[in-house]
Amino acid sequence: MAVVLDSKAIAEAMGVTDRAVRDRAIRESWPYTEETCRGGRRRLYDLAALPPEVRRKVEVAQAVEGARRAGYFNQAASGGESIPAGMPSPADTSPAATGAGGLAGGGWLPVKTVQNRPILAKTGQNMTDLQPATRDVAVATRHVAPAATGDAPDSTLIGHLLGTCARDDDFERLTRARDMMLLLRPLLDLPERHRGRRAMAEQIAAALGKSFQQVYRLADVAREHGVMGLARLGQRRDRGQARTLISGPWMAWASETIAKWHGDDLPGLAERMRQAVRSAWVGGAPSERQCWLKATAAVARDLHEIGCPREACAALMNLPAPRRYLAAEGQHFRVAGRALRDGKEIYDRNLTPVRRSAAGLMPGELVCGDITPLDIPVLREDGSTAYARLIAWHDVATNWLWIDPVLMEKGQGIRRDHVAASYARMCEKAPFGAPRRLYLDNGSEYQWDEMLVACKRLADFTGQAFAADEAATAPAERQVIRSIPFRPRAKRIEGMFGNLTDWLGWWFGYVGGNRITKKVATLGKGVVPAPYAEVVDWLNRTLADYHVTPQECAEHMDGMSPQQKLTAALESGWRPWRINALTLLLAFSDYHIRTIDRGTISVDGVRYTADFLMAMEGKVQVAVPRVLNASGVRVAYVLEGSKVLGMVEEERVFGITDQDGAKEAARRRGAMNAMLRAIHHDAPPLDERNLAGFRAEMNGLDATTARCDAAAVVVGINSEFEALSAGVAAVVERRLAEHNQKQREMKEKVGMLSRFGLEDDPETALAREMGL
């Protein structure tokens, strides 16, 4: 059932005015409901929806009011002492609330006594004039003790608490005290000189395991101080009371300053100092001394601005640092300062990690991938010093580490091709088999869409036995898990890297993770590199030792080694998944469509060739593996759908006069002829001469033409058209005769003439006859 309060009830619990509460509610937009009341409407606020600090104060006030009504503050024991059993503890547990460092607990309600009447030191208001809830809060969180011997009647008693610093054994102490009071009750009820008092004391002593003299002393304590006196036996009488306010030197300075300057009182100066110390911690003070230096400077500046003498301000800044007081305040406030400056430190020291268990996982069910440097200097082939990188895969169920070292050239880093090659080798050879699920880093090496495409291809090649997907809608058993950036605790493999340094540290020449301060054998000399092959061989043998070493601290290992975990899984029926090399090569490949050109194909400027391409033409699909080939020769695969037609290699280039080129040409001709012969053997050439006309014969072409001839209808012309045709033919014949006559006459005239009055020679005459 929701608890609703009006602004007056909240103001009474907080010790402020109703107007202040209403203004704050409007300013911070507190949710509310309205109800009709006398004089109009009023707003009601849900207790659960109030700001945390307001809700705490209201709850404390309600608890105190409930305790007061139940009689906890008025109930008296046999000794006449009030029993605060069941009294609520203050909600505020900061140093100021608990009295640590000399400050009053439970917030800021400093109390002092004037003429034996408790008043609020800040306002001078009489405690008896306060509202019941406010007065009970003050009573519950403060014990107004009488002035000590030698103290003035109006001495400030800040930090005198009544059991506000709870201890783990307080409840047990109070329970034992009540049981003891029940045993002592008959003895307390007897008169002082009763004859049976000794015998009763001995019976009680036997029950308590004490002597009757001790029982007498316990009875005196119970008669004088009641149950609380019995509960406090063995405790300091001044427990929970601050001996000084902040520190002795500060108290001396404050007293001297107040005597000379009346601008503030002791509680006011203490409040200024406390707020300045807290602000210094929140500001990022690295130590107690630095916190004190900045806090005193801030307080001195504020005091000087309101008229405090310069000598007093200078004296404050020269006071020694009260380290216990500063440490008590810093227990709660220095974390806030660290959060403003050092997120990594907050993550490592303060943020509570979420505990997760790997119990119940089978080998290969969850595999983490990451990259770490090998902190051992090695030699490249050119003699330079380098540090290899380790591509690591961690099987969470067995803590098995599959590691591939990679030595890069100067200025280069791990590429996606290296990660793909390492992943393929793990799927092919790792004892825990191909992973069911992947837990990857957010580094650029793993931010590779082609890798997820490769995982989907593996799912197709393996009949969906292996599958991985980053889609949020994918089933949980197929989702690829991405670690939270800059959160190393989220990846178990980071812890494995820490354990791995314990094994790598045995190598002479191991420099550690800090390259600025490398570990060296002799001061003034650099690191001593070792041959890369030797380091890799030692690393493999060291990992073998690691895999057979029991791991007692890992909660899911049950004290077993990775080898024993694998053995137990095999005995329970588990079997690792294996993916063959060709499937992995095809999965981790770039696919292209290329045209065959004289038995070669070109991909990214590299020409590939194979004998079987000479017997093909057109477009084919080419898969170029991203996994690096150990031999160094570039290869690719030609596919037809899901069928692999063959492997092609990078084309070799020969010199102009190189005899090997001629031999290769002859071999290719021989291979071409062999393939053609095989093709001719499997599919002999078709003899068209035997098939010519067979199709027409089978489809009855001759019968169709015969039927057409038989069914033909002869169509003649009429007489008029026939006469017209004859007339046209006669006219054409007459015109041809006239044309021929003209041609003969012209030839006769030309034959009698010559260019120079002479007859043409025989050759010219022949040319003329030919029309030239």
Side-chain angles (χ1 to χ4, degrees):
M1 182 177 178
V3 178
V4 293
L5 303 167
D6 58 3
S7 58
K8 293 183 179 180
I10 298 174
E12 184 178 358
M14 296 181 63
V16 297
T17 62
D18 180 42
R19 182 64 181 178
V21 172
R22 285 189 278 114
D23 291 344
R24 181 175 178 180
I26 296 174
R27 185 171 62 255
E28 299 180 0
S29 301
W30 292 359
Y32 65 91
T33 58
E34 290 187 349
E35 71 171 7
T36 305
C37 63
R38 178 178 295 180
R41 301 180 63 84
R42 65 173 180 174
R43 294 183 178 184
L44 298 178
Y45 303 94
D46 188 0
L47 178 61
L50 294 178
E53 70 278 3
V54 177
R55 186 173 65 252
R56 282 199 303 268
K57 291 183 179 180
V58 173
E59 290 173 348
V60 169
Q62 290 179 343
V64 171
E65 180 64 18
R68 185 183 63 81
R69 292 178 179 178
Y72 286 114
F73 297 137
N74 300 322
Q75 181 179 357
S78 59
E81 178 182 343
S82 61
I83 304 176
M87 183 182 66
S89 300
D92 189 2
T93 57
S94 65
T98 59
L103 287 181
W108 178 245
L109 283 176
V111 180
K112 63 181 180 178
T113 56
V114 177
Q115 297 180 357
N116 296 327
R117 290 183 303 163
I119 67 170
L120 293 179
K122 193 71 176 177
T123 62
Q125 188 176 4
N126 194 329
M127 287 283 289
T128 57
D129 298 333
L130 295 176
Q131 296 293 333
T134 306
R135 183 175 65 250
D136 292 337
V137 169
V139 173
T141 56
R142 298 262 179 324
H143 173 61
V144 183
T149 305
D151 291 344
D154 57 348
S155 59
T156 305
L157 301 174
I158 300 177
H160 290 251
L161 308 178
L162 180 61
T164 56
C165 298
R167 289 174 43 168
D168 296 337
D169 60 345
D170 281 351
F171 180 76
E172 289 79 3
R173 282 177 172 271
L174 187 59
T175 302
R176 289 196 302 268
R178 287 174 173 172
D179 295 341
M180 195 180 301
M181 177 63 77
L182 292 177
L183 292 176
L184 295 175
R185 175 63 63 185
L187 185 63
L188 296 176
D189 293 339
L190 289 178
E192 186 67 23
R193 298 293 182 180
H194 194 277
R195 291 182 177 272
R197 196 166 185 271
R198 169 69 178 272
M200 184 175 293
E202 290 176 350
Q203 292 179 3
I204 297 174
L208 295 176
K210 301 178 182 296
S211 64
F212 73 92
Q213 293 90 347
Q214 291 177 311
V215 171
Y216 283 147
R217 287 194 290 269
L218 291 175
D220 295 338
V221 172
R223 185 180 295 107
E224 184 176 356
H225 302 289
V227 175
M228 294 305 299
L230 296 175
R232 292 194 185 107
L233 289 175
Q235 289 185 340
R236 294 175 59 99
R237 292 183 179 274
D238 58 351
R239 175 172 172 259
Q241 297 182 8
R243 299 178 182 177
T244 58
L245 186 59
I246 299 180
S247 69
W250 187 92
M251 287 287 291
W253 168 85
S255 302
E256 184 178 355
T257 302
I258 293 173
K260 297 180 180 179
W261 175 67
H262 301 286
D264 205 343
D265 56 1
L266 185 60
L269 293 176
E271 176 67 10
R272 289 177 183 273
M273 200 69 243
R274 181 183 65 170
Q275 294 299 333
V277 167
R278 292 181 176 181
S279 298
W281 280 126
V282 175
S287 63
E288 286 84 359
R289 175 170 173 77
Q290 288 295 321
C291 175
W292 182 252
L293 292 177
K294 298 300 181 181
T296 53
V299 173
R301 182 193 59 186
D302 294 342
L303 294 178
H304 184 65
E305 289 177 355
I306 61 176
C308 185
R310 177 178 175 277
E311 294 78 9
C313 296
L316 173 62
M317 291 187 290
N318 291 323
L319 293 178
R323 297 188 180 273
R324 292 184 61 183
Y325 167 77
L326 296 171
E329 292 291 344
Q331 184 178 6
H332 295 269
F333 292 94
R334 71 188 311 171
V335 177
R338 187 180 300 125
L340 296 177
R341 294 173 174 264
D342 195 344
K344 180 65 168 59
E345 189 74 6
I346 282 289
Y347 178 80
D348 292 339
R349 294 183 56 180
N350 299 99
L351 184 62
T352 303
V354 177
R355 294 188 60 186
R356 298 180 182 271
S357 175
L361 290 179
M362 297 302 290
E365 191 170 344
L366 181 62
V367 175
C368 303
D370 205 349
I371 299 172
T372 187
L374 177 62
D375 299 321
I376 297 176
V378 297
L379 291 172
R380 293 194 183 98
E381 293 183 357
D382 59 359
S384 60
T385 302
Y387 292 90
R389 306 281 289 180
L390 301 179
I391 303 176
W393 304 91
H394 168 228
D395 178 48
V396 177
T398 62
N399 279 353
W400 192 286
L401 286 176
W402 177 267
I403 292 180
D404 285 319
V406 180
L407 183 60
M408 307 302 302
E409 296 297 329
K410 188 175 183 180
Q412 296 182 358
I414 292 292
R415 300 192 304 272
R416 298 168 179 174
D417 298 343
H418 298 101
V419 176
S422 176
Y423 180 81
R425 284 191 290 270
M426 174 192 63
C427 292
E428 183 183 5
K429 300 179 181 179
F432 51 83
R436 272 70 163 178
R437 295 189 70 184
L438 292 174
Y439 194 116
L440 300 180
D441 197 356
N442 285 276
S444 59
E445 304 88 356
Y446 297 100
Q447 292 290 350
W448 179 23
D449 295 338
E450 288 84 349
M451 187 169 184
L452 297 178
V453 173
C455 293
K456 295 178 181 178
R457 292 195 188 112
L458 285 177
D460 296 336
F461 294 154
T462 58
Q464 300 299 321
F466 174 87
D469 197 348
E470 274 198 316
T473 57
E477 63 274 7
R478 294 188 177 185
Q479 283 188 359
V480 176
I481 306 173
R482 291 287 184 183
S483 60
I484 304 175
F486 309 107
R487 299 296 189 272
R489 281 202 301 258
K491 299 180 291 183
R492 285 181 175 258
I493 194 172
E494 294 288 350
M496 300 307 299
F497 288 157
N499 297 336
L500 189 60
T501 58
D502 296 336
W503 294 82
L504 299 180
W506 285 99
W507 179 269
F508 284 102
Y510 175 77
V511 299
N514 191 347
R515 301 295 171 82
I516 304 300
T517 58
K518 304 182 182 67
K519 294 179 174 63
V520 293
T522 305
L523 293 177
K525 295 185 178 181
V527 297
V528 180
Y532 177 64
E534 293 183 7
V535 175
V536 171
D537 178 68
W538 173 82
L539 176 62
N540 293 331
R541 291 185 283 113
T542 300
L543 284 176
D545 293 339
Y546 160 79
H547 289 146
V548 298
T549 302
Q551 299 183 6
E552 293 84 358
C553 297
E555 49 87 17
H556 70 286
M557 295 294 288
D558 296 329
M560 293 189 292
S561 65
Q563 177 197 18
Q564 292 171 335
K565 288 286 287 186
L566 277 176
T567 304
L570 289 170
E571 292 176 353
S572 66
W574 168 85
R575 294 294 180 268
W577 286 354
R578 283 284 188 269
I579 304 177
N580 60 54
L582 179 59
T583 303
L584 291 169
L585 287 175
L586 294 178
F588 289 92
S589 298
D590 295 328
Y591 285 75
H592 310 272
I593 302 297
R594 292 293 183 268
T595 302
I596 300 176
D597 180 16
R598 293 175 296 177
T600 63
I601 52 178
S602 178
V603 180
D604 296 334
V606 180
R607 299 192 69 84
Y608 298 90
T609 183
D611 291 343
F612 70 92
L613 289 180
M614 294 187 293
M616 298 176 61
E617 63 179 11
K619 294 182 180 294
V620 293
Q621 188 178 28
V622 185
V624 181
R626 280 185 173 269
V627 178
L628 302 179
N629 194 345
S631 63
V633 179
R634 295 184 180 180
V635 298
Y637 295 89
V638 179
L639 291 83
E640 183 179 1
S642 59
K643 179 182 178 181
V644 180
L645 299 180
M647 184 183 71
V648 294
E649 295 183 355
E650 184 179 3
E651 186 178 19
R652 182 182 175 187
V653 180
F654 297 91
I656 296 179
T657 60
D658 193 349
Q659 294 296 326
D660 293 337
K663 294 179 182 179
E664 178 63 18
R667 189 198 66 78
R668 291 181 181 180
R669 285 193 297 271
M672 181 69 176
N673 294 332
M675 286 187 295
L676 293 179
R677 285 194 299 270
I679 293 174
H680 292 164
H681 180 270
D682 296 337
L686 185 67
D687 190 357
E688 174 63 18
R689 293 174 299 178
N690 297 330
L691 295 177
F694 179 75
R695 182 183 296 273
E697 181 182 352
M698 290 294 99
N699 287 280
L701 180 62
D702 294 339
T704 302
T705 55
R707 290 181 63 188
C708 290
D709 292 341
V713 177
V714 179
V715 180
I717 59 177
N718 56 19
S719 58
E720 184 179 358
F721 183 76
E722 190 174 341
L724 179 61
S725 298
V728 171
V731 172
V732 171
E733 185 177 357
R734 185 176 65 250
R735 289 183 179 181
L736 288 175
E738 292 176 355
H739 176 73
N740 292 334
Q741 182 61 29
K742 289 181 180 180
Q743 290 294 326
R744 286 193 297 269
E745 292 177 355
M746 185 174 291
K747 286 183 179 181
E748 291 177 356
K749 291 180 181 180
V750 173
M752 295 185 297
L753 297 177
S754 68
R755 186 176 181 183
F756 300 102
L758 299 175
E759 295 182 357
D760 291 333
D761 56 65
E763 295 180 355
T764 303
L766 180 61
R768 288 184 183 278
E769 290 179 0
M770 296 175 62
L772 300 175

